[in-house]
Amino acid sequence: MPNFYGTEIASRLMLGTAQYPSPAILAEAFRRSGAGIATVSVRREAGGERAGEAFWALVQELGVALLPNTAGCHSVREAVTTAQMARELFDTRWIKLEVIGHADTLQPDPFGLVEAARILVGEGFEVFPYCTEDLVLCERLVEAGCRVLMPWGAPIGTGLGLNNIYGLRSLRAHFPELPLVIDAGLGLPSQAAQAIEMGYDAVLLNTAVARAGDPAMMAEGFARAVEAGALAHAADPMEPRDMAAPSTPVLGKAFL
């Protein structure tokens, strides 16, 4: 099972908490998923409304580890300030760091991401950076003090799956001991299974479950998929080959 900053998590599935049709459906999706971590974003609200208190109570009742994130931040300053707020609100050093660089693709800003990671690590945060599969960027994040990397499979909310298999395999091979999580872009359980089969430690998703016709059923599907992927990876699967190979032995066969 994945181990993040010394904390072992009981599931390879991580779920976001946004966009669900209702709080009850969110809770049921988490129950059927067995997810070990819930991501939560910090949103500004008027002080007199206290609208976030009911949501915070619901999240606490899920009984899973919380990973606050800096979703929607487009600058280093905004991301660092949001992380500081999250630490006070959720009483955790964990932070999923997002510094968005492109409005249409929601691709991370690599320069701002590294700068923000360095600042937050210096302040004692345990940073989970949302990044691309670029090896150079990931090396800079590790040098900044990140002990987990969270490369995207595809742009957030697209459901396109693992767009760059070569890049993701290269990243896994380059950091064999570092916890790696596929974050964003997954749309189907089969894509999650593929990521775990490749040796990734976990997957994080939100839209694929929250926007499904039956979010709880889809959550359970993803839970089963990551278990299947983990078994396949541990079983040392056969290598693909170009030529056919008979599965039935020909030794002793009568040739007429």
Side-chain angles (χ1 to χ4, degrees):
M1 288 299 176
N3 187 301
F4 302 131
Y5 292 101
T7 299
E8 186 169 300
I9 305 301
S11 171
R12 297 182 185 276
L13 181 60
M14 305 159 63
L15 284 183
T17 53
Q19 306 184 67
Y20 289 83
S22 72
I25 291 175
L26 184 156
E28 180 64 9
F30 267 85
R31 186 188 69 80
R32 291 178 62 175
S33 73
I37 291 178
T39 59
V40 289
S41 60
V42 177
R43 288 288 179 266
R44 286 75 165 176
E45 64 180 46
E49 294 178 3
R50 310 182 72 84
E53 290 187 358
F55 176 74
W56 173 225
L58 172 64
V59 168
Q60 287 179 303
E61 291 173 359
L62 296 176
V64 299
L66 298 182
L67 177 60
N69 67 34
T70 64
C73 293
H74 291 257
S75 71
V76 172
R77 181 179 178 181
E78 187 180 15
V80 169
T81 301
T82 302
Q84 293 166 339
M85 292 168 58
R87 180 163 58 180
E88 292 184 16
L89 286 169
F90 300 111
D91 190 27
T92 177
R93 293 191 295 168
W94 283 10
I95 191 71
K96 178 190 168 187
L97 178 61
E98 296 184 25
V99 182
I100 301 301
H102 192 269
D104 291 334
T105 64
L106 301 180
Q107 181 168 326
D109 172 0
F111 309 102
L113 188 62
V114 172
E115 182 181 350
R118 187 173 290 113
I119 293 170
L120 291 173
V121 169
E123 294 186 2
F125 283 88
E126 296 174 335
V127 179
F128 296 65
Y130 161 64
C131 58
T132 64
E133 70 279 12
D134 183 273
L135 281 175
V136 177
L137 167 59
C138 289
E139 284 185 335
R140 297 294 181 270
L141 289 168
V142 172
E143 290 170 2
C146 298
R147 295 296 173 260
V148 178
L149 296 174
M150 303 182 73
W152 67 355
I156 294 171
T158 61
L160 293 173
L162 307 180
N163 274 358
N164 183 1
I165 297 294
Y166 169 79
L168 293 171
R169 288 190 187 279
S170 297
L171 190 65
R172 177 70 282 179
H174 193 71
F175 297 104
E177 305 299 328
L178 197 70
L180 300 180
V181 179
I182 293 294
D183 177 15
L186 299 183
L188 292 170
S190 56
Q191 298 162 351
Q194 183 182 18
I196 303 300
E197 287 170 1
M198 290 166 53
Y200 276 75
D201 297 275
V203 296
L204 170 57
L205 52 119
N206 190 159
T207 308
V209 168
R211 290 302 188 188
D214 188 329
M217 184 181 294
M218 184 63 80
E220 183 176 342
F222 271 99
R224 297 185 183 188
V226 296
E227 290 179 5
L231 287 172
H233 179 69
D236 189 17
M238 63 173 284
E239 292 291 334
R241 52 182 292 159
D242 294 328
M243 299 296 292
S247 57
T248 301
V250 296
L251 184 65
K253 176 183 176 182
F255 291 90
L256 303 176

